Amino acid sequence: MESSTPQDKVRVRFAPSPTGFLHVGNARTALFNWLVARHFEGSFLLRIEDTDAERSRLEYETQLMADLRWLGLDWDEGVDIGGDYGPYRQTDRYGLYRKSAGLLLAKDRAFRCFCSEEELERARQEQLARGEMPRYSGKCRHLAPAAIAAQLQAGTPFVLRLRVRPGTVGFSDLVYGRIEIDTVQISDPVILRSDASPTYNFSVVVDDVAMKITHVIRGDGHLSNTHRQILIYEALEAPAPSFAHLPTVLGPDGSKLSKRHGAASLEEFRLQGYLAGALVNYLALLGWSPPGEGKEIMDVAEIVARFELSRVSRSSAIFDSTKLDWMNRNYINAMPLPDLLQHALPHLVAAGLIMPEPDARVRAWLELVLDAVRSHVDHLDQLPRECAVVFGFPGGLPALEEEARAILAEPGALRVAREFERLVAEREVLTLDAYREIAGLVKQATGQKGRHLFHPIRAALTGRGSGPELDRLIPIYEEGSRLGLPRRVMPCRERLAAVLGLF
Ligand code: GLU
C-alpha cells in the first residue's frame, strides 16, 4: 500500500471470535487495522465472528468492545452502532451465506458432498497409512444428476464443497510477499456444513466482499487459509482485497505468548494500572517500527501519521514485559497530575488509603503525593506500596528499614536526628522554610553536613534509607496529617518521635 491516498476509500475490519478475553496478539491486530483506517481516513469495522455456537459468549463480546474502547480504538461500523453493510454479527448473516453458497452451487462452482463422516475418516486413515497427505478424495465431485436426486430423495445429509480448480493460486501479502501454491494441495473445502452453517473460510470471504473490505490485516496464523479464501473470491467473481499477515506475538522464551508470560488479557493490564496510551504505543511497536531514528515514545496521533504496513516486519514480535513497564513508566511520569490522579484513585481507594470522591483539598494533596512517588512505579497498582512512605507507620509503629537503622547507627547520626527532632517539636507546623532553617541550626550544633546531616534526618522522618526528596515529603506529611484521611498520615513531629523512640 502506498502512503499516498489510495483511490478507493480504505475499509478494514477487526473480526474477533468472542470465545475468550482480548489478549495482546488480538489487540495488536485490532490496533494495526485501526491505524491503517485512521492513517488513510478510511473506515474501521468491528465484525463479530460468532459462528462457533459452543464457544462464543455474549460476555466476551461485551468485554472485547469495552477493551477496544479503553484502548481508544473506536469503530465506524459495528454490532452496536450498525452501519451501511450490516448486520455485523455473523450469526445474523446466515441467510446471506446460504444465498451465496446457493449461487455457487447453481454455477457449478460448488457441489454437494454426501460422504458420511465415517467414510471421510476411513479414507483419511487409508491415505495416512499409505504415507499420503490426507485430502478429500473427490468422490462426489462428479456425481450424475440422477445420483444426486436419489440422495436428496433419500434425505441423505450433505455438505457443500467448493470445486477447486486446477493450477496455481497465489496472492501478494503486504508483509510476506508473494505466496503461490498448486491447488492440488487444497482439498475441495467445505463451505456450508450439513446443518447449513457456514465454515470460517466461507463466511469470512462472503462478509469481506459484502462489506467492501479493501485490506485484510490479521495474524499470520491465517496465512494457510488465504489460498482457500482466494479461490472463494474467484468463485464469487469478486476481487480479492490486499492481505497483510502480522507476525505472531511470542513470549521472551520464543514460545507463543500465553498466560505463563504474565498478564495476557487487556482487562488484566487495565486492572494492573497500565495506561491505555502506553499500551497502544507498546503494541504499535510489536512488529512495526517507524522509519528513521528509532524513536519509541510516540503518542497515538504521531503513530497514526507515521504508520505504514510496508514497515511491518516478518520476524516474530517478542512481547517484553520489561519494555512495556519502561514505556508505561514514561507515560506515568509525563502525564499531567490531574489526569494521573484520575487513573490512580481507584488503586488508592481499593487499598483503603482514600475515600472515593475526595474533595478538592485532598485531591491537591494527592497530586503532591503522586508527583513524589510516580517515578518509582511501573504500573499504578504499585502506587499503594510506594505510598507507604507517606501512609506508613500503621498503629504508630514504624517499620524501620535495615538501611535506615544502619544510617542511624553511624557515629553522630543519632545526635543529628535528636537535635532535629527537638527543634521541630518547638514548631506548630513544619513549613519548608522552617525545615531549611532547622537543618541549618542542626548543622551548626552538630558540625555534620551533606549526607551525614541529611541521611539521618531522612531515616528518622521516613524510617527508610532512601525515597522521595525531603522537600517534597515534609509538606506532604504536614498537610496530610490535617486532612482526616481514613489511613491517618502522621505529621513530622510524630514521625520523628515514633522512629527515635526505638533507640
Ligand atoms: N475470527 C477470526 C479470528 O479471530 C478472524 C480472522 C480474520 O481476520 O479473517 O481469528
Side-chain angles (χ1 to χ4, degrees):
M1 184 176 12
E2 300 295 318
S3 263
S4 57
T5 316
Q7 279 173 322
D8 296 319
K9 196 173 162 220
V10 163
R11 290 176 59 81
V12 292
R13 83 306 193 268
F14 177 51
S17 303
T19 54
F21 293 111
L22 194 64
H23 54 77
V24 170
N26 278 341
R28 195 265 320 249
T29 300
L31 173 64
F32 281 26
N33 275 285
W34 182 86
L35 287 171
V36 166
R38 296 298 170 253
H39 180 91
F40 290 108
E41 295 176 7
S43 295
F44 176 56
L45 284 66
L46 177 63
R47 184 172 74 220
I48 300 295
E49 303 209 324
D50 58 346
T51 55
D52 184 341
E54 252 165 50
R55 292 170 58 226
S56 296
R57 291 222 210 107
L58 197 60
E59 68 194 78
Y60 290 135
E61 181 180 314
T62 311
Q63 182 64 47
L64 79 87
M65 291 202 280
D67 290 341
L68 293 176
R69 276 193 205 102
W70 176 67
L71 284 177
L73 309 185
D74 55 335
W75 48 98
D76 308 297
E77 299 169 30
V79 264
D80 55 333
I81 51 171
D84 291 343
Y85 301 86
Y88 294 88
R89 186 183 283 112
Q90 287 194 321
T91 46
D92 293 334
R93 300 174 66 81
Y94 276 27
L96 207 72
Y97 308 136
R98 285 170 197 154
K99 194 169 148 216
S100 291
L103 286 176
L104 294 189
L105 185 64
K107 286 195 299 180
D108 201 33
R109 302 296 295 253
F111 61 91
R112 294 188 183 86
C113 172
F114 296 94
C115 296
S116 67
E117 301 258 346
E118 299 75 46
E119 214 176 332
L120 292 170
E121 182 54 27
R122 211 177 320 119
R124 213 177 82 88
Q125 293 303 337
E126 282 166 15
Q127 284 172 330
L128 283 174
R130 287 197 299 270
E132 292 170 14
M133 203 178 79
R135 185 176 317 142
Y136 171 62
S137 67
K139 184 176 168 209
C140 298
R141 266 189 144 231
H142 304 289
L143 289 183
I148 296 173
Q151 293 280 22
L152 292 177
Q153 187 72 41
T156 313
F158 63 88
V159 300
L160 286 191
R161 289 183 183 270
L162 184 75
R163 191 183 295 285
V164 169
R165 58 156 177 82
T168 55
V169 58
F171 64 100
S172 297
D173 192 84
L174 293 168
V175 177
Y176 283 83
R178 182 92 197 149
I179 310 178
E180 225 159 79
I181 62 167
D182 195 306
T183 61
V184 292
Q185 294 180 42
I186 301 176
S187 305
D188 299 324
V190 175
I191 56 173
L192 223 54
R193 300 189 188 91
S194 54
D195 63 357
S197 67
T199 55
Y200 157 70
N201 279 317
F202 190 58
S203 56
V204 90
V205 172
V206 170
D207 287 349
D208 285 341
V209 171
M211 295 178 181
K212 295 198 160 53
I213 296 303
T214 59
H215 296 76
V216 168
I217 304 163
R218 61 186 172 199
D220 63 5
H222 287 289
L223 265 177
S224 61
N225 285 321
T226 308
H227 293 100
R228 283 184 187 81
Q229 293 180 12
I230 299 270
L231 290 170
I232 297 173
Y233 281 103
E234 275 181 28
L236 292 170
E237 294 173 64
S242 302
F243 291 92
H245 286 91
L246 309 176
T248 310
V249 181
L250 304 179
D253 58 358
S255 67
K256 199 166 181 226
L257 188 67
S258 71
K259 281 221 177 291
R260 279 186 303 112
H261 300 106
S265 81
L266 267 273
E267 173 72 352
E268 282 170 283
F269 283 116
R270 191 178 63 76
L271 292 175
Q272 287 178 20
Y274 286 90
L275 298 172
L279 208 54
V280 162
N281 192 161
Y282 180 76
L283 291 174
L285 297 174
L286 273 184
W288 172 76
S289 57
E293 68 301 335
K295 181 176 173 200
E296 295 199 294
I297 305 272
M298 288 171 284
D299 66 18
V300 71
E302 183 174 357
I303 299 171
V304 165
R306 303 181 75 183
F307 192 79
E308 279 179 76
L309 281 174
S310 62
R311 291 196 54 87
V312 172
S313 149
R314 273 187 223 192
S315 41
S316 331
I318 306 287
F319 177 81
D320 173 359
S321 55
T322 315
K323 182 160 172 193
L324 172 61
D325 283 357
W326 168 82
M327 182 84 69
N328 202 48
R329 190 191 282 232
N330 266 282
Y331 274 77
I332 289 173
N333 282 289
M335 190 172 244
L337 282 168
D339 295 345
L340 183 63
L341 177 58
Q342 246 1 76
H343 288 93
L345 266 178
H347 298 276
L348 302 176
V349 170
L353 299 177
I354 294 294
M355 297 297 261
E357 298 181 31
D359 64 22
R361 199 167 152 207
V362 172
R363 297 179 84 90
W365 177 78
L366 281 171
E367 287 184 15
L368 296 180
V369 175
L370 289 177
D371 205 23
V373 302
R374 65 170 157 180
S375 64
H376 298 271
V377 298
D378 291 331
H379 29 96
L380 300 176
D381 67 350
Q382 295 170 338
L383 276 173
R385 181 195 78 194
E386 285 307 313
C387 286
V389 69
V390 175
F391 291 93
F393 301 1
L397 271 183
L400 197 57
E401 274 184 0
E402 237 2 271
E403 203 186 338
R405 195 176 280 280
I407 288 170
L408 288 170
E410 281 177 24
L414 214 48
R415 193 165 157 240
V416 167
R418 292 215 194 279
E419 183 63 6
F420 184 74
E421 182 193 12
R422 191 181 68 77
L423 293 170
V424 169
E426 288 174 359
R427 312 277 175 136
E428 195 59 41
V429 245
L430 187 62
T431 60
L432 264 188
D433 283 345
Y435 157 65
R436 289 184 186 130
E437 191 191 322
I438 289 172
L441 291 172
V442 174
K443 182 178 167 183
Q444 273 175 20
T446 62
Q448 303 284 16
K449 54 182 196 283
R451 62 172 288 270
H452 298 291
L453 179 66
F454 291 105
H455 283 198
I457 293 177
R458 163 185 298 285
L461 254 181
T462 68
R464 296 165 170 232
S466 60
E469 294 157 41
L470 291 178
D471 275 15
R472 286 173 182 270
L473 282 176
I474 287 166
I476 287 172
Y477 290 146
E478 294 298 296
E479 171 68 5
S481 70
R482 294 191 289 266
L483 292 174
L485 298 170
R487 188 76 164 269
R488 185 167 172 267
V489 173
M490 291 163 84
C492 294
R493 208 174 339 135
E494 281 180 42
R495 300 184 69 89
L496 291 164
V499 172
L500 294 174
L502 296 173
F503 290 83

